[in-house]
Amino acid sequence: MNIRIFESEREVDLAAAQYVAGRINEKPDMVLGLPTGGTPEGMYANLAKMVAEKKVSFKTVTTFNLDEYAYYDGTEPQSYRVFMKDRLFDHIDIPNTSYHLPSLPKGRDAQACCLDYENAIKAAGGIDLMVLGMGGNGHIGFNEPGTPFGIGVHKTELTEKTRSDNSRFFASEADVPTAAITMGIGSIMRCRSIIMLVKGAAKADVLAMALSGPVTQAIPASVLQLHPFITVFADSAAAAGLAARR
Ligand code: PGA
Protein backbone atom coordinates (compact mmCIF):
# COMPACT_ATOMS: atom_id res chain seq x y z
CA MET A 1 0.00 0.00 0.00
CA ASN A 2 1.24 3.49 -0.88
CA ILE A 3 0.24 6.40 1.32
CA ARG A 4 0.67 9.94 -0.02
CA ILE A 5 0.21 12.71 2.53
CA PHE A 6 -0.45 16.34 1.51
CA GLU A 7 -0.47 19.55 3.51
CA SER A 8 -3.99 20.59 2.50
CA GLU A 9 -7.23 19.28 1.07
CA ARG A 10 -6.63 21.36 -2.06
CA GLU A 11 -3.36 19.53 -2.67
CA VAL A 12 -5.18 16.19 -2.34
CA ASP A 13 -7.77 17.40 -4.88
CA LEU A 14 -5.12 18.42 -7.39
CA ALA A 15 -2.87 15.39 -6.93
CA ALA A 16 -5.81 12.99 -7.26
CA ALA A 17 -7.02 14.72 -10.43
CA GLN A 18 -3.52 14.67 -11.91
CA TYR A 19 -3.19 10.99 -11.04
CA VAL A 20 -6.54 10.07 -12.65
CA ALA A 21 -5.78 12.18 -15.74
CA GLY A 22 -2.36 10.56 -16.04
CA ARG A 23 -3.89 7.09 -15.93
CA ILE A 24 -6.48 8.09 -18.59
CA ASN A 25 -3.73 9.46 -20.81
CA GLU A 26 -1.89 6.14 -20.50
CA LYS A 27 -5.05 4.18 -21.34
CA PRO A 28 -7.66 6.43 -23.01
CA ASP A 29 -10.33 3.68 -23.10
CA MET A 30 -9.99 2.93 -19.40
CA VAL A 31 -12.84 1.86 -17.12
CA LEU A 32 -13.00 4.16 -14.11
CA GLY A 33 -14.92 3.68 -10.85
CA LEU A 34 -16.18 6.86 -9.18
CA PRO A 35 -17.41 7.95 -5.74
CA THR A 36 -19.77 10.68 -4.54
CA GLY A 37 -19.69 12.68 -1.31
CA GLY A 38 -17.88 15.81 -0.24
CA THR A 39 -14.40 14.30 -0.57
CA PRO A 40 -14.12 13.98 -4.38
CA GLU A 41 -15.74 17.33 -5.27
CA GLY A 42 -12.41 19.16 -5.53
CA MET A 43 -10.92 16.36 -7.65
CA TYR A 44 -13.90 16.60 -10.01
CA ALA A 45 -13.51 20.39 -10.31
CA ASN A 46 -9.84 19.92 -11.21
CA LEU A 47 -10.65 17.21 -13.77
CA ALA A 48 -13.28 19.45 -15.41
CA LYS A 49 -10.67 22.22 -15.66
CA MET A 50 -8.13 19.82 -17.16
CA VAL A 51 -10.66 18.73 -19.79
CA ALA A 52 -11.34 22.40 -20.66
CA GLU A 53 -7.58 22.93 -20.98
CA LYS A 54 -7.35 19.81 -23.19
CA LYS A 55 -4.96 18.07 -20.80
CA VAL A 56 -7.21 15.00 -20.68
CA SER A 57 -10.27 13.69 -22.48
CA PHE A 58 -13.05 11.36 -21.30
CA LYS A 59 -14.32 10.70 -24.86
CA THR A 60 -13.37 7.02 -24.71
CA VAL A 61 -13.53 6.50 -20.93
CA THR A 62 -16.30 4.39 -19.37
CA THR A 63 -17.29 5.06 -15.76
CA PHE A 64 -19.19 3.15 -13.08
CA ASN A 65 -20.26 4.86 -9.88
CA LEU A 66 -20.13 3.03 -6.59
CA ASP A 67 -23.62 3.55 -5.27
CA GLU A 68 -27.02 5.25 -5.39
CA TYR A 69 -29.88 5.66 -2.95
CA ALA A 70 -32.50 2.93 -3.21
CA TYR A 71 -35.92 3.72 -4.73
CA TYR A 72 -34.53 6.80 -6.49
CA ASP A 73 -34.90 7.09 -10.25
CA GLY A 74 -31.90 9.39 -10.64
CA THR A 75 -33.82 12.65 -11.12
CA GLU A 76 -34.06 13.56 -7.39
CA PRO A 77 -31.83 16.54 -6.51
CA GLN A 78 -29.98 14.43 -3.89
CA SER A 79 -29.55 11.45 -6.21
CA TYR A 80 -26.00 10.52 -7.00
CA ARG A 81 -26.82 10.67 -10.72
CA VAL A 82 -27.68 14.37 -10.37
CA PHE A 83 -24.61 14.89 -8.13
CA MET A 84 -22.33 13.37 -10.77
CA LYS A 85 -23.89 15.37 -13.61
CA ASP A 86 -23.56 18.61 -11.62
CA ARG A 87 -20.00 18.00 -10.41
CA LEU A 88 -18.46 16.20 -13.38
CA PHE A 89 -20.34 14.69 -16.30
CA ASP A 90 -21.97 17.93 -17.54
CA HIS A 91 -18.54 19.62 -17.52
CA ILE A 92 -16.46 17.04 -19.39
CA ASP A 93 -16.52 15.42 -22.83
CA ILE A 94 -17.82 11.99 -21.75
CA PRO A 95 -20.65 10.66 -23.99
CA ASN A 96 -23.82 10.29 -21.92
CA THR A 97 -23.98 6.58 -22.79
CA SER A 98 -20.53 6.00 -21.20
CA TYR A 99 -21.30 6.73 -17.57
CA HIS A 100 -23.20 4.35 -15.35
CA LEU A 101 -24.69 4.41 -11.86
CA PRO A 102 -26.41 1.53 -10.10
CA SER A 103 -30.15 1.97 -10.00
CA LEU A 104 -32.89 0.40 -7.91
CA PRO A 105 -36.06 2.32 -8.76
CA LYS A 106 -39.33 1.79 -6.89
CA GLY A 107 -41.14 -1.38 -7.90
CA ARG A 108 -38.08 -3.09 -9.42
CA ASP A 109 -36.61 -6.35 -8.15
CA ALA A 110 -33.48 -5.62 -6.10
CA GLN A 111 -31.64 -8.79 -7.07
CA ALA A 112 -32.23 -8.21 -10.78
CA CYS A 113 -31.03 -4.59 -10.52
CA CYS A 114 -27.86 -5.69 -8.69
CA LEU A 115 -27.14 -8.41 -11.21
CA ASP A 116 -27.65 -5.98 -14.12
CA TYR A 117 -25.04 -3.65 -12.67
CA GLU A 118 -22.58 -6.43 -11.88
CA ASN A 119 -22.98 -7.72 -15.44
CA ALA A 120 -22.52 -4.25 -16.96
CA ILE A 121 -19.18 -3.91 -15.13
CA LYS A 122 -18.14 -7.36 -16.29
CA ALA A 123 -19.17 -6.62 -19.90
CA ALA A 124 -17.00 -3.50 -19.85
CA GLY A 125 -14.02 -5.69 -18.91
CA GLY A 126 -13.90 -4.82 -15.20
CA ILE A 127 -12.68 -1.62 -13.54
CA ASP A 128 -9.10 -0.47 -14.21
CA LEU A 129 -9.02 2.26 -11.57
CA MET A 130 -11.48 2.74 -8.71
CA VAL A 131 -11.54 6.05 -6.86
CA LEU A 132 -12.90 5.73 -3.31
CA GLY A 133 -13.80 8.04 -0.46
CA MET A 134 -14.16 6.68 3.06
CA GLY A 135 -17.09 7.31 5.40
CA GLY A 136 -16.71 8.47 8.98
CA ASN A 137 -17.38 4.89 10.12
CA GLY A 138 -14.86 3.40 7.69
CA HIS A 139 -17.40 2.48 5.04
CA ILE A 140 -16.42 2.32 1.36
CA GLY A 141 -19.25 2.68 -1.11
CA PHE A 142 -22.25 1.98 1.11
CA ASN A 143 -20.59 -1.08 2.64
CA GLU A 144 -21.36 -0.35 6.24
CA PRO A 145 -19.48 -1.96 9.18
CA GLY A 146 -20.24 -5.67 9.36
CA THR A 147 -20.74 -6.14 5.60
CA PRO A 148 -19.24 -9.49 4.51
CA PHE A 149 -16.12 -8.95 2.42
CA GLY A 150 -16.93 -11.23 -0.52
CA ILE A 151 -20.19 -9.86 -1.84
CA GLY A 152 -20.85 -8.03 -5.10
CA VAL A 153 -23.43 -5.37 -5.94
CA HIS A 154 -26.20 -5.49 -3.35
CA LYS A 155 -28.97 -3.56 -1.64
CA THR A 156 -28.10 -2.39 1.85
CA GLU A 157 -29.63 -0.53 4.79
CA LEU A 158 -27.80 2.64 5.86
CA THR A 159 -26.57 3.09 9.42
CA GLU A 160 -27.71 6.00 11.57
CA LYS A 161 -24.14 7.39 11.44
CA THR A 162 -24.17 7.48 7.62
CA ARG A 163 -27.67 8.95 7.49
CA SER A 164 -26.65 11.64 9.94
CA ASP A 165 -23.38 12.35 8.03
CA ASN A 166 -25.36 12.67 4.77
CA SER A 167 -28.18 14.75 6.24
CA ARG A 168 -26.26 17.91 5.30
CA PHE A 169 -27.41 17.33 1.71
CA PHE A 170 -31.10 17.09 2.74
CA ALA A 171 -33.68 19.35 4.41
CA SER A 172 -33.67 17.07 7.46
CA GLU A 173 -32.25 13.73 8.60
CA ALA A 174 -35.70 12.18 8.22
CA ASP A 175 -35.45 12.83 4.46
CA VAL A 176 -32.25 10.78 4.07
CA PRO A 177 -33.08 7.44 2.43
CA THR A 178 -32.71 4.38 4.63
CA ALA A 179 -31.37 2.06 1.91
CA ALA A 180 -29.04 2.09 -1.08
CA ILE A 181 -27.68 -0.05 -3.91
CA THR A 182 -23.91 -0.33 -3.79
CA MET A 183 -20.95 -2.17 -5.25
CA GLY A 184 -19.87 -4.70 -2.61
CA ILE A 185 -16.46 -5.17 -1.08
CA GLY A 186 -16.02 -8.05 -3.54
CA SER A 187 -16.73 -5.70 -6.48
CA ILE A 188 -14.24 -3.16 -5.09
CA MET A 189 -11.50 -5.74 -4.47
CA ARG A 190 -11.87 -6.98 -8.08
CA CYS A 191 -10.88 -3.53 -9.40
CA ARG A 192 -7.38 -3.72 -10.85
CA SER A 193 -6.16 -0.64 -8.98
CA ILE A 194 -7.61 1.69 -6.35
CA ILE A 195 -7.00 5.15 -4.97
CA MET A 196 -8.73 6.24 -1.78
CA LEU A 197 -9.05 9.92 -0.86
CA VAL A 198 -9.41 10.87 2.80
CA LYS A 199 -9.56 14.38 4.20
CA GLY A 200 -10.10 16.05 7.54
CA ALA A 201 -9.32 15.47 11.21
CA ALA A 202 -12.71 13.82 11.84
CA LYS A 203 -11.51 10.77 9.87
CA ALA A 204 -8.01 10.53 11.42
CA ASP A 205 -8.85 7.82 13.95
CA VAL A 206 -10.80 5.63 11.58
CA LEU A 207 -8.14 6.01 8.86
CA ALA A 208 -5.46 4.88 11.32
CA MET A 209 -7.57 1.86 12.27
CA ALA A 210 -8.25 1.06 8.60
CA LEU A 211 -4.63 1.23 7.48
CA SER A 212 -2.69 0.13 10.56
CA GLY A 213 -5.15 -1.99 12.53
CA PRO A 214 -6.40 -5.52 11.91
CA VAL A 215 -8.35 -6.32 8.73
CA THR A 216 -11.89 -6.53 10.07
CA GLN A 217 -15.45 -6.24 8.81
CA ALA A 218 -16.00 -3.72 11.62
CA ILE A 219 -13.90 -1.23 9.58
CA PRO A 220 -14.77 -1.99 5.94
CA ALA A 221 -11.87 0.09 4.51
CA SER A 222 -9.39 -2.15 6.37
CA VAL A 223 -9.92 -4.77 3.64
CA LEU A 224 -7.91 -2.51 1.32
CA GLN A 225 -4.75 -3.64 3.14
CA LEU A 226 -5.20 -6.85 1.15
CA HIS A 227 -5.36 -5.15 -2.27
CA PRO A 228 -2.13 -5.30 -4.30
CA PHE A 229 -2.47 -1.89 -6.02
CA ILE A 230 -3.81 0.76 -3.68
CA THR A 231 -2.66 4.29 -3.04
CA VAL A 232 -4.19 6.43 -0.29
CA PHE A 233 -4.23 10.22 -0.81
CA ALA A 234 -4.72 11.91 2.59
CA ASP A 235 -4.33 15.43 3.88
CA SER A 236 -2.16 15.85 6.96
CA ALA A 237 -5.23 16.25 9.22
CA ALA A 238 -6.66 12.87 8.15
CA ALA A 239 -3.21 11.26 8.33
CA ALA A 240 -2.51 12.54 11.85
CA GLY A 241 -3.16 9.16 13.51
CA LEU A 242 -1.02 7.19 11.07
CA ALA A 243 2.41 8.19 12.35
CA ALA A 244 1.34 7.51 15.92
CA ARG A 245 0.38 3.96 14.98
CA ARG A 246 3.45 3.16 12.91
P1 PGA B 1 -17.75 12.25 2.35
O1 PGA B 1 -18.29 10.75 2.33
O2 PGA B 1 -16.80 12.33 1.20
O3 PGA B 1 -18.97 13.09 2.12
O4 PGA B 1 -17.10 12.44 3.67
C1 PGA B 1 -17.39 9.74 2.06
C2 PGA B 1 -18.13 8.44 2.01
O5 PGA B 1 -19.18 8.33 2.69
O6 PGA B 1 -17.67 7.52 1.31
Side-chain angles (χ1 to χ4, degrees):
M1 172 177 298
N2 290 316
I3 303 175
R4 296 177 61 182
I5 299 171
F6 300 87
E7 277 310 304
S8 65
E9 297 198 5
R10 288 168 64 94
E11 285 173 61
V12 172
D13 299 339
L14 184 61
Q18 285 171 337
Y19 180 82
V20 170
R23 291 286 303 272
I24 294 171
N25 287 333
E26 272 168 28
K27 187 177 180 201
D29 62 347
M30 83 173 325
V31 180
L32 184 62
L34 295 174
T36 48
T39 306
E41 286 184 295
M43 177 189 76
Y44 290 148
N46 279 294
L47 281 171
K49 188 162 168 274
M50 292 169 86
V51 170
E53 292 166 352
K54 303 211 177 316
K55 291 181 176 153
V56 67
S57 169
F58 283 74
K59 272 193 187 125
T60 53
V61 172
T62 302
T63 71
F64 288 92
N65 264 79
L66 276 167
D67 45 19
E68 176 63 281
Y69 290 119
Y71 316 124
Y72 272 27
D73 64 14
T75 58
E76 300 80 359
Q78 291 91 359
S79 70
Y80 287 170
R81 179 172 287 273
V82 167
F83 177 100
M84 288 305 300
K85 284 169 68 64
D86 283 354
R87 305 311 198 278
L88 186 67
F89 299 146
D90 287 352
H91 308 288
I92 60 174
D93 54 353
I94 191 166
N96 59 16
T97 48
S98 299
Y99 60 80
H100 309 272
L101 288 93
S103 173
L104 171 50
K106 279 195 193 86
R108 291 280 310 279
D109 178 62
Q111 256 183 324
C113 290
C114 294
L115 198 62
D116 282 353
Y117 201 58
E118 197 77 60
N119 286 339
I121 296 169
K122 228 181 263 173
I127 293 173
D128 293 304
L129 172 62
M130 167 59 77
V131 183
L132 294 175
M134 183 188 71
N137 60 1
H139 75 200
I140 46 178
F142 272 133
N143 294 282
E144 299 284 34
T147 308
F149 281 161
I151 59 177
V153 179
H154 62 284
K155 181 190 160 206
T156 186
E157 307 301 316
L158 302 184
T159 59
E160 283 315 306
K161 162 80 174 144
T162 295
R163 293 185 66 237
S164 129
D165 284 354
N166 288 7
S167 63
R168 65 192 195 277
F169 297 111
F170 293 81
S172 79
E173 194 169 326
D175 296 325
V176 183
T178 57
I181 177 170
T182 182
M183 284 189 203
I185 301 277
S187 331
I188 292 170
M189 292 299 277
R190 278 193 286 280
C191 299
R192 287 186 276 279
S193 61
I194 299 176
I195 63 173
M196 182 167 77
L197 318 185
V198 189
K199 301 175 189 174
K203 291 183 183 168
D205 286 347
V206 71
L207 184 64
M209 287 192 275
L211 302 191
S212 322
V215 174
T216 165
Q217 290 178 10
I219 313 277
S222 67
V223 74
L224 299 171
Q225 294 181 37
L226 305 178
H227 196 284
F229 294 105
I230 161 126
T231 302
V232 176
F233 290 64
D235 69 348
S236 50
L242 293 178
R245 284 198 163 234
R246 276 201 192 132

